[in-house]
Amino acid sequence: MNQFQYSRVTHSNAAVSAVSKEKAAMFIAGGTNLIDLMKRGIVNPTRLVDINRVPLNEIKTEGNSLIIGALALNGPVAESKLVTEKFPLLAQALNAGASAQIRNMATIGGNMLQRTRCPYFYDTTMPCNKREPGTGCGALEGFNRMHAIFGFSDQCIAVHPSDMSVALAALDASVLVIGPKGERRIPFTDFHRLPGDKPQIDTNLQAGELITSVTIPDNGFNKNVHYLKVRDRTSYAFALVSVAAALQIEKNTIRDARLAMGGVAHKPWRLTEAEKFLIGKPVSEASFSEAAKIAMQGAKAFKYNTYKLTLAPNSIVQALKVAAKLV
Amino acid sequence: MNKLFFDKVIGDPLNRVDGRMKVTGAAKYSAEYQLPNLVHAVVVPSTITKGRIKSVDSKAALRSPGVLAVISHENAIKVPGNADNEHPTEPPTGGQPLRAFYNNKVYFNGQPIAIVIADTLERAQYAAGLVKFEYDQDKHVTDFELNKGKGVLPEKAKKDPKSSLADYDRGVVDAYKTAAVTVEAEYIHPTEVHNPMELQAITAYWETDDKLTVYDKVQGTKPTQQAFAKEWNLPVQNVKVISEFVGGAFGNGLHNWPHETAAIIAAKMVKRPVKLMLRREHMFYMVGYRPYTWQQIGMGASADGKITGISHIAIGQTSTYEEFTESTVQQTKMMYASPNVSTRYRILPLDVSTPIWMRGPGEATGAFALECAMDELAFALNMDPIQFRLANYTDEDPEKKLPWSTKYLKECLEVGAEKIGWSKRSMKPGGLRAGEWLVGYGMGVGTFGAHRGAAAVRGRLLANGTIIFQSAVTDIGPGTGTAMVQIASEHIGIAPDKITFQLGNSDFPQAPNQGGSATVATVGSAVVATCNAIKEKLLTMAPTAEKRFANAKMEEILFDNGQMSLLKSPSIKVSYTNILKKNSLTEIDIIQDAKPDDESNKYSKYSFSVHFVQVHVHPTTGQVKVNKVVTCADAGKIVNKKTAGNQLIGGVTGGIGMALMEDAIIDHRFGRYITKDFADYHVPVHADVPQIEVYFVDKPDYIVDPMGTKGLGEIAIIGVAPAVANAVFNATGKRIRQLPITPDKLI
């Protein structure tokens, strides 16, 4: 770990100005990912600006929307009645992530900003364009069992590891940020970006911008939802594939649908075409299979992750079946 | 069959004598000794896989605050006992252990090539990142699959055709090929890493220039003492090894590794005690692992299910500088009554670090292949797998042609089948469901030699009626001290709470490594011998305190509750304390040794286990849930059903990891591990471990040792992975022959 300065702020404006002043300064909240990255020499901030005392941990409703402060912790958010009653999909996704200990440290803002778990990213002796642009992608020709089947580039085939973000992408969430130029709101599906030729940049946040809250509109997806996470062990493992599925059903007909996948792309992978297809269709395995087929269009696998071409559609069908209470 | 032999693991098992110390933090592990002037060390691993270090640039590290030294092959003091040879050819089987900082050669990725010493751990860690190396890189070979044709017969087998590693033929080679029903299959077991909770750690301290003390995480204080005495050309008594508590080891403390010598070199050079604890990542390549092993089994049987031939080939990975071998094909030689059996064992040297025995070692790897093949053949015969095993049951060891000392495998099979609900199993794969999940049942048999070695134990009966025992043995987790207190209590007639068993110190009497499931038999026998010697002594001194013992013979006396009494006239009695007092003694102090007798060589001695597993498999996502496990063990007399049950549960949990998740993967382009932390290298979490029911036959085997015990630690894991794989087949009809069985292999 490199040496760094540490300062603590109690207001979001102070946080933004402290980080904006120094090129390699970073915010720190729960630190469950950042500290690991620093210990391994993957990120080397010159200053950590501790935002834990900025009052941004409220969970509240405004009108029909749910607003979660960026510093609210994953564990308490998953247990909050406001979340479990109206947005159970989010609660399920949060509980599918990490371990209880980590969920009690990690913040909502930090969860979105966690870096990929690609082993080439984590090993500083290996090539990785995300860690060190221009060194190449270790995973492209390497051990890519955990890697992307959508939206990758020849620069980077890593996937985003967050479960929570998959649910937020499905639920039409938006992210409120404050920066040197003031506040702005980013639709969740635009928050993360695809690697393209700049895989070192994970999100569309600008320099100095701080996440202050996440808003989820109440679209009525509280009854028929399911977050399915397929992984190598039952807990504390990243997804091979995950699916956030939410349906509104009336008389065995799908009135509205939300669908997103995790573990398949550099960002939470919202499946809007499949959603559109499902609207008006009968609740049946056949409808779900057809939606999964649509969702998989354009998927391409690498040497060790061809199984995802089967597992992903199977998981979509399974998640929809559970959401629709067919199983 | 008499089911009275079995007891569910309840009853009145003694709590661990050190349990309170462990849960309160009072137990001191190797990294927890705070010596005066202690400094901290961090090892620097190589980042290339093969080649030579051209130069070491330690200038920046040395300028860094608090740094005392940067030690590499360029400046390390010479280790006097190191053989001065470029091409090692020494035992154990071939090659020799890697010598720390011996020369500029790099043999594997992650080889410790420097050690940085600083006044605090953080400063040492920081400076370690500043040491830079230039290399001349050579082309490396780490890909087992591409090179498995290059497997070689181990040196030991070349020198000794009678070695258990040599080619073995009973009857006709490849006789299975002409059988009525045959199976042929290849099985792959990936590299697995011990990964005990406690990281490898050593605190090294040179009291004087020729007196060394190490607090070291090892499985044997005496073997380590010998190794360091040899390495540093010191009289054995000048080396003291303390390993009082070991937080799990599973075999990786059965070898002394370069980081240990590196810390000792550093302590000598900075003239201060040096503490070194490895990082989790280092555990993957600095302290051994279960080697990647490829196996092929051909097996044939008559139509009525009698095995007519088995051919088993196993190739295990080793390093280029040291031959590691294990008994991968042993179970095939002795488990089933086939007239024709051939085994071939080869090792494949690669540019990797040396493997070391990992729980159940080669036997567990071999059992994966053998017990899966048994299941495959049973299926091909349309026979129940238990009936198939009973049809090929052996009442004597077909390899050694000797009677078993004891064997209660049939009892294990019967009870296990009943407890798992085997009768519900469908012969046809995929025949059972629970909701949408496919349900399958599988079983696997495990066996391991019931070994016993030589050991000595010191016993000091004190004037207050308490007794202290000492042995150099370590306790890597099974509860050795607790078991020894129980054995002693029974044999000396003193209540457990008045008995102390001290261990983990090379100043104490001789004990071998804790490994190979031999500790209770080996050290327990010495405890019994010491108790007997003390009783003899008490008998000779008793008349001074109570005249009526004058002509008493040993067999006429009951030793119990701190006193001796005449069996025929129990009112004639005298306490141990009174005997000491009347003889004006403050204590009786005796060291007694014990070793197996020749009589036991007339028998074949093995422990046996059967694991029954019920799995649920999701038909479309491939997720496997082990829903229930029943394990039955024939491990002789069980000394402590609580700690023994604990061992079985731990072994089964390790077996679930082996079956479903553990996989240390190397990217062969770089020769580096890809999965080298607990995020990428999966071991079971609580949610993966179901109810595990354990049952013991609990019948003594007095041929192995005077307590009637047989080893338990290894058979806890041997046979678990094939039981899971067989259950997955029974659920899905998919035969997964390459571990681990992850969801991607089942969709």
Side-chain angles (χ1 to χ4, degrees), chain A residues 1-3 39-40 117 119-120 122-123 125-127 137-143 145 228-238 240 304 307-308 310-311 314-315 318 321-322 327, chain B residues 47 64-65 125-126 130 279 281 436 618-625 660-661 663 665 667 669-670 672-685 687-688 742-744 747:
Chain A
M1 190 186 284
N2 273 338
Q3 298 180 28
K39 279 183 178 174
R40 296 190 187 212
R117 303 290 164 158
Y120 297 93
Y122 270 82
D123 186 335
T125 74
M126 302 241 197
C137 174
L140 199 61
E141 304 285 325
F143 183 69
R145 177 172 176 266
L228 172 68
K229 183 176 185 182
V230 183
R231 43 184 155 173
D232 287 329
R233 67 177 160 194
T234 312
S235 176
Y236 196 47
F238 294 99
L240 300 171
Y304 293 103
Y307 72 93
K308 288 193 181 184
T310 310
L311 181 60
N314 285 2
S315 301
Q318 179 66 15
K321 277 166 75 178
V322 178
V327 289
Chain B
T47 55
S64 186
Q125 279 170 337
Y126 178 67
L130 301 176
R279 291 171 48 165
E281 179 184 323
E436 54 175 347
H618 195 275
T620 61
T621 64
Q623 290 161 292
V624 178
K625 286 183 191 167
L660 298 181
M661 49 195 88
D663 194 0
I665 296 161
D667 184 326
R669 296 171 300 167
F670 307 103
R672 273 177 86 77
Y673 279 106
I674 288 291
T675 50
K676 49 180 180 273
D677 58 33
F678 278 158
D680 293 326
Y681 183 87
H682 296 142
V683 295
V685 296
D688 297 302
T742 44
D744 49 315
I747 55 164

Side-chain angles (χ1 to χ4, degrees), chain B residues 537-558:
Chain B
K537 186 93 177 168
L538 284 169
L539 180 58
T540 60
M541 298 191 310
T544 314
E546 167 55 78
K547 287 194 182 70
R548 284 175 289 179
F549 281 95
N551 296 313
K553 295 193 177 71
M554 186 55 91
E555 59 271 21
E556 295 166 353
I557 297 167
L558 175 69

Side-chain angles (χ1 to χ4, degrees), chain B residues 356-653:
Chain B
I356 197 68
W357 302 285
M358 177 166 156
R359 196 174 192 174
E363 286 84 344
T365 309
F368 166 58
L370 177 66
E371 292 296 304
C372 281
M374 285 293 290
D375 201 69
E376 299 203 33
L377 189 50
F379 182 73
L381 286 158
N382 196 28
M383 236 177 132
D384 180 280
I386 297 174
Q387 295 310 316
F388 182 46
R389 282 167 176 88
L390 289 173
N392 294 283
Y393 200 80
T394 59
D395 290 319
E396 67 158 31
D397 180 343
E399 180 200 8
K400 296 195 188 109
K401 312 269 190 272
L402 290 175
W404 307 110
S405 57
T406 53
K407 180 181 181 184
Y408 299 105
L409 182 55
K410 269 184 189 163
E411 287 83 345
C412 292
L413 285 163
E414 181 167 317
V415 169
E418 185 202 320
K419 299 291 179 187
I420 195 80
W422 190 257
S423 57
K424 291 196 279 284
R425 177 181 181 270
S426 158
M427 282 291 280
K428 190 171 157 278
L432 272 185
R433 282 196 186 233
E436 54 175 347
W437 293 75
L438 298 159
V439 178
Y441 291 83
M443 50 88 61
V445 176
T447 188
F448 194 83
H451 301 304
R452 178 183 160 192
V457 163
R458 180 182 183 187
R460 289 171 61 207
L461 177 63
L462 305 183
N464 64 4
T466 64
I467 188 163
I468 300 167
F469 292 92
Q470 291 181 329
S471 162
V473 72
T474 60
D475 177 3
I476 61 173
T480 300
T482 310
M484 294 305 143
V485 164
Q486 287 175 278
I487 290 168
S489 177
E490 185 172 320
H491 285 268
I492 196 68
I494 293 177
D497 62 358
K498 290 184 175 162
I499 301 173
T500 306
F501 192 86
Q502 299 176 338
L503 48 67
N505 187 323
S506 63
D507 284 350
F508 298 158
Q510 170 65 33
N513 276 317
Q514 179 159 81
S517 299
T519 298
V520 168
T522 303
V523 181
S525 298
V527 168
V528 172
T530 302
C531 289
N532 289 341
I534 292 172
K535 288 194 283 194
E536 294 281 356
K537 186 93 177 168
L538 284 169
L539 180 58
T540 60
M541 298 191 310
T544 314
E546 167 55 78
K547 287 194 182 70
R548 284 175 289 179
F549 281 95
N551 296 313
K553 295 193 177 71
M554 186 55 91
E555 59 271 21
E556 295 166 353
I557 297 167
L558 175 69
F559 293 83
D560 190 39
N561 199 23
Q563 59 186 16
M564 42 196 285
S565 57
L566 286 176
L567 284 164
K568 281 183 180 163
S569 328
S571 61
I572 299 173
K573 58 189 178 186
V574 61
S575 71
Y576 304 163
T577 54
N578 204 21
I579 295 172
L580 263 72
K581 195 174 160 194
K582 291 287 158 56
N583 284 275
S584 308
L585 285 175
T586 54
E587 63 178 87
I588 295 173
D589 186 352
I590 286 177
I591 299 178
Q592 192 65 46
D593 57 10
K595 59 175 197 281
D597 57 30
D598 293 340
E599 180 66 17
S600 70
N601 293 332
K602 295 176 185 165
Y603 297 87
S604 178
K605 293 153 287 183
Y606 283 91
S607 297
F608 298 91
S609 63
V610 189
H611 308 277
F612 289 88
V613 171
Q614 188 212 57
V615 297
H616 286 186
V617 183
H618 195 275
T620 61
T621 64
Q623 290 161 292
V624 178
K625 286 183 191 167
V626 178
N627 206 47
K628 186 177 177 183
V629 180
V630 172
T631 288
C632 296
D634 163 20
K637 177 79 188 158
I638 300 302
V639 176
N640 182 324
K641 285 188 187 162
K642 188 184 229 176
T643 53
N646 185 204
Q647 267 204 81
L648 279 186
I649 290 167
V652 169
T653 303

Side-chain angles (χ1 to χ4, degrees), chain B residues 153-169 333 343-344 346 399:
Chain B
L153 193 66
E155 282 299 318
K156 201 173 175 181
K158 280 185 206 159
K159 284 177 194 151
D160 175 13
K162 285 186 182 149
S163 156
S164 64
L165 301 169
D167 293 356
Y168 170 79
D169 291 309
K333 295 180 195 173
T343 66
R344 301 287 181 267
R346 299 289 181 271
E399 180 200 8

Side-chain angles (χ1 to χ4, degrees), chain B residues 183-205:
Chain B
V183 292
E184 266 180 356
E186 294 178 13
Y187 301 89
I188 292 173
H189 192 304
T191 295
E192 263 185 26
V193 182
H194 306 70
N195 270 323
M197 193 71 90
E198 183 199 16
L199 298 158
Q200 235 72 10
I202 178 170
T203 302
Y205 170 46

